[in-house]
């Protein structure tokens, strides 16, 4: 057996032993400052990443580094309270390992969230942007021998974000009085924030928001045929027309994400209630 598969299977088996017999049908990845959604999970079983042998540990600010299994929106879910980033020094295979483990645990749908800079002039701090497509500037996690048991060598990416889930989000947001934006997410390596010229370039090639994560996770999920819903919290305006003394600050990003977390939580819980899984 491929040693990569053996590693995934070993971690998945360890995770299952800790899940108290629960079988999650939905996976959720919580980005910078958004881990509070996990507080809404009922009857939680908390499993720190560090307690899973061979599992990478999240070191980014605002990422607690736990799997949380429990009930949310009448479904059994498994949530990542903090993700793994390429900029932390992990290989791209480690970045997507949690997604493959969640797939092994039985999830049938994936929700990904992140904090992002708003490139589009229509985006402002605190906005929720539904991701309709992406532009990948990170290494592709499918490079190398294909995981044939997971999916095909050349997976289709025509619709990386599920159109039906996007329609559901907009319908429920209207019922909740939540305003949603929609756009294209650009994923780069980080950890440095982008320059004004880069923001302008990303906007020119069709980007609406920019961040340092998410896309490798989505590629791996779609490779395995898992539908994905993605949402960005806009935490700073990347409009390339800054005042001379302006600086991007990571702590400000966490604060802005936390302020928007309540309405994102409300929307995602409603979506999960309505999903047929």
């Amino acid at each position: 057996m491929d040693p990569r598969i053996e590693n995934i299977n070993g971690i998945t088996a360890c995770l299952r032993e800790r899940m108290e017999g629960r079988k999650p049908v939905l996976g959720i990845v919580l980005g910078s400052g958004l881990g509070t959604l996990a507080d809404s999970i009922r009857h939680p079983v908390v499993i720190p990443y560090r307690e899973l042998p061979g599992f990478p540990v999240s070191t980014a600010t605002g990422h607690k580094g736990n799997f949380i299994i429990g009930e949310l929106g009448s479904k059994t879910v498994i949530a990542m309270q903090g993700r793994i980033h390429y900029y932390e020094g992990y290989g791209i295979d480690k970045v997507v390992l949690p997604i493959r483990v969640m797939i092994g645990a039985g999830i049938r749908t994936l929700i990904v969230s992140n904090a992002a800079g708003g490139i589009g002039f229509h985006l402002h701090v605190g906005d929720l942007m539904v991701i309709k497509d992406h532009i990948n500037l990170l290494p592709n996690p499918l490079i190398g021998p294909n995981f044939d048991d997971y999916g095909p060598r050349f997976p289709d990416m025509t619709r990386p974000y599920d159109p039906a889930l996007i329609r559901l989000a907009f319908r429920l947001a209207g019922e909740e009085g939540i305003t949603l934006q929609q756009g294209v997410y650009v994923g780069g390596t980080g950890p440095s924030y982008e320059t004004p010229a880069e923001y302008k370039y990303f906007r020119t090639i069709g980007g609406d928001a920019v961040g340092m994560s998410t896309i490798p996770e989505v590629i791996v999920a779609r490779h395995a045929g898992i539908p994905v819903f993605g949402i960005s919290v806009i935490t700073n305006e990347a409009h390339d027309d800054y005042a001379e003394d302006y600086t991007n600050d990571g702590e400000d990003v966490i604060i802005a994400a936390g302020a928007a977390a309540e309405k994102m939580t409300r929307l995602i819980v409603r979506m999960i209630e309505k999903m047929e899984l």
Side-chain angles (χ1 to χ4, degrees):
M1 179 183 289
D2 187 319
R4 300 172 302 168
I5 298 290
E6 289 185 2
N7 184 46
I8 294 166
N9 290 348
I11 295 171
T12 303
C14 183
L15 183 68
R16 282 175 170 162
E17 288 177 1
R18 300 282 301 275
M19 285 174 13
E20 300 180 358
R22 303 183 192 194
K23 298 180 179 179
V25 295
L26 177 81
I28 306 171
V29 182
L30 300 171
S32 298
L34 302 174
T36 54
L37 186 147
D39 297 336
S40 299
I41 296 175
R42 299 185 304 278
H43 313 299
V45 174
V46 179
I47 305 172
Y49 298 158
R50 64 179 180 276
E51 294 181 6
L52 297 172
F55 200 88
V57 177
S58 180
T59 65
T61 302
H63 293 252
K64 292 186 177 180
N66 299 316
F67 274 122
I68 300 180
I69 301 94
E71 305 303 313
L72 188 65
S74 73
K75 309 288 193 306
T76 301
V77 306
I78 178 168
M80 290 181 65
Q81 197 175 25
R83 56 161 47 90
I84 309 302
H85 299 83
Y86 186 66
Y87 66 70
E88 295 174 75
Y90 292 111
I92 201 67
D93 58 324
K94 293 292 187 181
V95 171
V96 299
L97 177 62
I99 307 302
R100 289 188 165 128
V101 168
M102 289 197 290
I103 292 170
I107 68 166
R108 299 199 288 270
T109 298
L110 178 68
I111 294 175
V112 292
S113 67
N114 58 56
I119 303 170
F121 292 117
H122 64 295
L123 295 172
H124 302 285
V125 173
D127 283 352
L128 298 181
M129 187 195 83
V130 173
I131 305 174
K132 66 178 181 180
D133 205 344
H134 66 231
I135 297 171
N136 186 31
L137 302 177
L138 285 150
N140 191 305
L142 302 183
I143 291 173
N146 187 49
F147 285 30
D148 293 330
D149 291 343
Y150 282 74
R153 169 76 283 188
F154 302 106
D156 177 50
M157 292 294 289
T158 306
R159 288 170 292 278
Y161 302 90
D162 190 78
L165 293 178
I166 291 173
R167 289 193 297 271
L168 177 64
F170 274 92
R171 178 171 67 83
L172 296 177
E175 294 177 5
E176 291 289 325
I178 297 171
T179 299
L180 292 181
Q181 304 290 348
Q182 185 173 216
V184 175
Y185 176 84
V186 181
T189 64
S192 55
Y193 289 109
E194 297 76 16
T195 69
E198 288 169 333
Y199 289 140
K200 185 174 182 179
Y201 169 66
F202 295 152
R203 188 184 311 113
T204 300
I205 64 173
D208 294 291
V210 61
M212 307 172 188
S213 66
T214 303
I215 296 177
E217 301 159 355
V218 173
I219 291 173
V220 164
R222 295 303 301 131
H223 177 242
I226 301 294
V228 177
F229 174 76
I231 190 165
S232 295
V233 176
I234 304 303
T235 52
N236 59 295
E237 296 178 9
H239 291 169
D240 65 75
D241 57 353
Y242 299 122
E244 191 169 310
D245 60 350
Y246 178 85
T247 58
N248 272 314
D249 184 277
E251 292 300 326
D252 290 343
V253 168
I254 301 301
I255 292 168
E262 185 276 332
K263 60 181 177 179
M264 190 194 75
T265 297
R266 197 154 36 101
L267 175 63
I268 289 178
V269 171
R270 285 293 313 279
M271 288 183 68
I272 295 171
E273 288 172 348
K274 297 294 184 181
M275 288 180 187
E276 297 182 6
L277 300 172

